[in-house]
Amino acid sequence: MNVAIVGAGPAGLYLAILLKKLDRGVDVSVLERNAPDATFGFGVVFSEETLGALRDADPETHLEITDTFARWDRIDIRFQGRELRSSGHAFSAIARKRLLEILQERCRELDVALEFGVEVDELPDADLVVGADGANSLVRRFGEFGTKVRPEGSKYVWFGTDHVFDAFTFAFRETEHGLFNVHAYPYDERMSTFIVECPEAVWRAAGLDEMDEQESLAFCEQLFANELRGRELFSNRSLWLDFPKITNATWHSGNIVILGDAAHTAHFSIGSGTKLAMEDSISLAAALARRRWELEAAFVDYELEREPFVERTQDAASESAAYFGRIASYSHVEPIQFAFNLITRAGRITHATLGVRDPQFTRALDGWLGGRAVSPPPAFSSFELRGVRFEHRFELVESTVAVSAEGRVSAEDVPAPEGKLLLRLSHAGRRGATQARNRGVDLPLADGWPVVAPTKRPYAPFGQIPSEPDEAAVLEAFVSAAASARAEVLELDMAHGYLLGSYLSPLTNDEDDRLLFPLRVLEAVRARWEGPLSVRLSITDWHPRGNKVEDGIAIARAMHEAGADLIHVEAGQTIHDDRPQYRRGFLTALSDRVRNEARVPTLVGGYLTTLDEANTIVGAGRADLVLLDLPEPEIERPLQSSNSLLLGEVRA
């Protein structure tokens, strides 16, 4: 077997080592266009999980790498003139140049042929060709991979500094142009990585788009002089860049396989690029061994094992990249909550896991929320909304009622739940006159009542064609229902394609002012209801021509200004053929954005099943109230047969 690996970064070199260990008779060569001591970037961070995989795959390399590590266990967050510290995080880093030296030395020990200064203009003549040549891979040109590249996150520039940080440091600096932030960490006893980041609009406003390499270095050096403690920044082709998110439909084509950044990238803010690349090498080598060098079978095994993990990591990295892009929206947040929000942004750390790593930090967070030095976890802290006090943050139970006979979804009714009640007033609109949910969703009744909507388009393929609503009658029905309501919180249903929600979306309303009627209803109900008033909104339609998240945030802001005390965050179902993104906690990131960009309290659900999730969400300021899907006790209830005008609970 003859193997040609294009690219002498960590992925390519490590694969060469593993293949030679697998079979010393295999002819392995590594082709690299740059010199052996050429490297871009400064330090590489490894997690304990990755180190365990390296130890198992090649103990000799693992020993060499770990012997030169810079290690620390703390995250420092410098925000609004304060520094908050969280420990117990177990980081390890190494200079990228030193890592490459170790891998090159190990390759030579195993008789891997290393060829530097080689331009690959045509497909190497080998049984197996591996593309490990980075984000701008040349090898990808020789196969059909379905490559997609799109920019992600903010503008960033990668520096080194001789100030040795003693923790992974996030620093935020407000300027007249906007907010800049830094990711900094040590990688040996003399140097640290120092990444500066800002949104493109801020980058342009500061004139950085017109500065050369040295001018932008001087700008960043002056801006973050306090963090650098008088030390210098060093450049290594340190140019402002857009991070490229790379995905491929397949990672192999013929006898070519790709790995590392050639196959996928993950935004630097979660520090997984080199980790993913070297773990790809481990997986590919194991697949080749398992399949006894049957390339097609090994490639399929490799992709089946790696793709799901990489996709999850890329999703987390994308959310992290977007988070730092809108970091200025958290400028009003108390530093302790901001720090917890930042630490838990990717979902890998929760209130419970941080409580194990750093109980002092979680005690401080709990105390800030609870108002006492020793306080219960965030979900058990109290919250007050327009005079109604909630003793804990998951206290609400939902019940939905139709405001009129023609506003029902179905003709069935269920008992009202027990607890502090959120009473939802709803008009089903074009989603009405359907069979009970246990028989199927949005299945029309054979003899149903007429339905209404802003446009004459049915909700589902076999649904009724709606007629135009009598807006005066609808308005009066909502006001009348509000006047007779008995609940702690009243909610107007403007989500999931029901009548008021269908007014808000360009998919279901052709008018220019789509807020006009829903705001009229809100203002009229607000005038009759003195207690907390919630609005249930689909923040995004999950459709290319529908409302985007930014539109949903603007709608939430308008509702708050018109009198809503709370936004109940939902998504999708505006039309039957949307493109949902359901997963555990899928609404949490949307709630975070609404709460912190529209500056309005939020209520969120979305397959939340544990108190740890509630503690994390409330503690991080992603929502103020949480709906938990906790198991209900089995009880016997009499069969209901009712033609009541009230609509039973609908969790659409």
Side-chain angles (χ1 to χ4, degrees):
M1 178 66 68
N2 182 291
V3 181
I5 300 173
V6 181
L13 292 172
Y14 200 55
L15 178 64
I17 292 167
L18 299 180
L19 294 183
K20 284 300 267 188
K21 286 190 62 178
L22 174 62
D23 186 344
R24 290 298 184 98
V26 174
D27 182 10
V28 181
S29 61
V30 179
L31 312 176
E32 170 59 51
R33 64 185 301 182
N34 296 304
D37 59 349
T39 182
F40 307 105
F42 292 92
V44 175
V45 178
F46 287 103
S47 67
E48 292 300 315
E49 178 187 13
T50 303
L51 292 176
L54 298 183
R55 181 192 60 239
D56 295 340
D58 186 42
E60 292 85 348
T61 303
H62 172 267
L63 182 61
E64 284 291 329
I65 291 173
T66 55
D67 275 352
T68 62
F69 266 160
R71 300 178 184 271
W72 68 98
D73 74 342
R74 209 175 70 236
I75 297 174
D76 288 355
I77 299 169
R78 300 172 183 177
F79 178 71
Q80 293 184 358
R82 290 180 57 188
E83 181 174 83
L84 294 101
R85 295 186 163 186
S86 176
S87 59
H89 298 282
F91 294 104
S92 302
I94 186 173
R96 182 176 174 85
K97 185 174 180 179
R98 178 58 186 146
L99 174 62
L100 295 179
E101 289 172 352
I102 291 170
L103 296 175
Q104 289 169 15
E105 291 168 6
R106 181 67 172 143
C107 281
R108 294 187 182 99
E109 289 175 12
L110 296 171
D111 297 323
V112 174
L114 301 179
E115 301 179 40
F116 293 93
V118 177
E119 290 287 350
V120 177
D121 297 321
E122 59 184 22
L123 191 66
D125 182 15
D127 300 312
L128 168 59
V129 177
V130 180
D133 50 342
N136 298 316
S137 174
L138 296 173
V139 173
R140 287 200 307 254
R141 299 181 308 175
F142 301 119
E144 298 294 330
F145 297 97
T147 305
K148 293 183 179 179
V149 183
R150 64 175 179 82
E152 180 170 78
S154 299
K155 289 284 187 179
Y156 74 99
V157 59
W158 205 296
F159 297 113
T161 177
D162 57 355
H163 173 61
V164 181
F165 289 86
D166 58 358
F168 201 117
T169 301
F170 295 97
F172 301 88
R173 184 72 63 204
E174 187 67 59
T175 73
E176 59 184 312
H177 314 294
L179 189 67
F180 288 79
N181 63 276
V182 157
H183 312 243
Y185 55 87
Y187 59 82
D188 62 25
E189 70 277 7
R190 297 177 292 105
M191 294 288 292
S192 298
T193 292
F194 197 88
I195 307 169
V196 183
E197 186 183 25
C198 66
E200 183 172 354
V202 175
W203 177 72
R204 292 188 182 279
L208 287 160
D209 56 327
E210 299 178 353
M211 295 184 192
D212 62 23
E213 187 174 342
Q214 287 303 312
E215 288 171 334
S216 70
L217 182 148
F219 175 91
C220 295
E221 207 170 59
Q222 182 177 7
L223 181 61
F224 290 100
N226 287 342
E227 281 67 34
L228 292 168
R229 302 292 194 267
R231 298 284 188 167
E232 295 181 89
L233 290 178
F234 299 98
S235 179
N236 184 354
R237 291 184 60 183
S238 299
L239 305 174
W240 287 89
L241 302 170
D242 295 304
F243 186 87
K245 181 177 181 179
I246 294 173
T247 57
N248 286 276
T250 181
W251 296 359
H252 73 280
S253 178
N255 69 330
I256 308 171
V257 65
I258 54 177
L259 72 167
D261 283 355
H264 50 74
T265 57
H267 193 263
F268 63 84
S269 60
I270 66 168
S272 291
T274 302
K275 159 193 161 62
L276 290 177
M278 296 182 75
E279 289 175 347
D280 284 353
S281 300
I282 295 171
S283 177
L284 179 57
L288 288 166
R290 187 166 55 249
R291 293 295 186 171
R292 299 181 182 277
W293 296 92
E294 289 289 337
L295 297 187
E296 181 64 26
F299 293 163
V300 171
D301 278 6
Y302 161 61
E303 291 189 35
L304 286 174
E305 179 180 305
R306 291 298 294 159
E307 279 190 333
F309 180 82
V310 167
E311 286 176 5
R312 290 194 298 271
T313 303
Q314 284 188 308
D315 287 345
S318 295
E319 290 183 8
S320 181
Y323 173 90
F324 282 103
R326 58 175 185 271
I327 199 74
S329 65
Y330 296 92
S331 60
H332 66 292
V333 176
E334 182 71 18
I336 183 69
Q337 189 168 58
F338 174 83
F340 184 67
N341 189 296
L342 189 153
I343 291 169
T344 60
R345 71 192 183 282
R348 296 175 175 177
I349 299 174
T350 68
H351 184 273
T353 58
L354 188 61
V356 173
R357 297 183 185 197
D358 188 355
Q360 184 175 350
F361 186 98
T362 53
R363 280 198 298 269
L365 175 70
D366 299 348
W368 171 74
L369 273 168
R372 300 188 302 274
V374 179
S375 294
F380 292 89
S381 63
S382 63
F383 179 68
E384 189 166 316
L385 197 65
R386 197 178 280 261
V388 174
R389 181 181 174 84
F390 300 88
E391 295 305 325
H392 54 71
R393 303 300 185 98
F394 54 97
E395 192 172 355
L396 276 176
V397 291
E398 306 166 273
S399 184
T400 301
V401 297
V403 296
S404 63
E406 64 274 13
R408 291 172 293 164
V409 171
S410 72
E412 296 192 355
D413 185 24
V414 297
E418 297 181 0
K420 193 157 282 188
L421 182 62
L422 179 146
L423 185 64
R424 183 177 304 127
L425 305 184
S426 183
H427 191 299
R430 62 185 191 151
R431 294 191 70 179
T434 62
Q435 299 183 38
R437 289 295 173 101
N438 60 6
R439 301 189 182 100
V441 178
D442 296 309
L443 297 178
L445 292 167
D447 55 350
W449 51 90
V451 300
V452 297
T455 57
K456 296 185 177 181
R457 294 191 284 269
Y459 183 82
F462 302 103
Q464 287 188 54
I465 296 176
S467 59
E468 185 176 347
D470 181 342
E471 292 186 349
V474 170
L475 177 65
E476 177 55 34
F478 272 96
V479 172
S480 177
S484 60
R486 297 292 182 270
E488 281 76 20
V489 178
L490 191 66
E491 181 169 274
L492 299 180
D493 195 352
M494 299 190 188
H496 287 178
Y498 296 122
L499 181 60
L500 295 183
S502 66
Y503 272 90
L504 295 171
S505 173
L507 297 171
T508 50
N509 187 357
D510 299 329
E511 298 296 323
D512 292 330
D513 190 352
R514 293 187 291 273
L515 275 168
L516 182 62
F517 183 63
L519 285 179
R520 281 179 57 202
V521 173
L522 171 61
E523 290 166 351
V525 170
R526 177 76 282 172
R528 294 297 300 271
W529 175 260
E530 295 182 355
L533 182 59
S534 172
V535 173
R536 187 175 184 239
L537 286 179
S538 288
I539 301 302
T540 172
D541 287 334
W542 275 337
H543 192 278
R545 297 190 303 276
N547 284 328
K548 307 298 186 292
V549 176
E550 292 74 17
D551 302 315
I553 292 171
I555 293 170
R557 186 180 295 113
M559 295 294 170
H560 184 45
E561 292 171 353
D565 303 300
L566 186 72
I567 299 297
H568 182 174
V569 172
E570 293 284 4
Q573 299 191 40
T574 304
I575 57 176
H576 80 282
D577 57 346
D578 59 2
R579 302 174 186 178
Q581 301 173 12
Y582 297 128
R583 64 185 185 279
R584 191 182 183 98
F586 70 101
L587 296 171
T588 302
L590 293 176
S591 176
D592 190 343
R593 293 197 60 182
V594 171
R595 185 181 187 273
N596 290 292
E597 293 180 41
R599 306 287 175 89
V600 54
T602 60
L603 165 69
V604 71
Y607 309 140
L608 303 175
T609 60
T610 69
L611 285 172
D612 187 32
E613 289 171 318
N615 287 328
T616 305
I617 289 167
V618 174
R622 296 188 176 99
D624 298 276
L625 296 168
V626 177
L627 293 172
L628 288 179
D629 290 324
L630 298 175
E632 297 181 1
E634 292 291 331
I635 58 173
E636 291 188 7
R637 287 178 176 152
L639 292 175
Q640 297 292 316
S641 176
S642 171
N643 291 318
S644 168
L645 301 188
L646 294 183
L647 165 65
E649 183 178 8
V650 175
R651 293 191 177 182

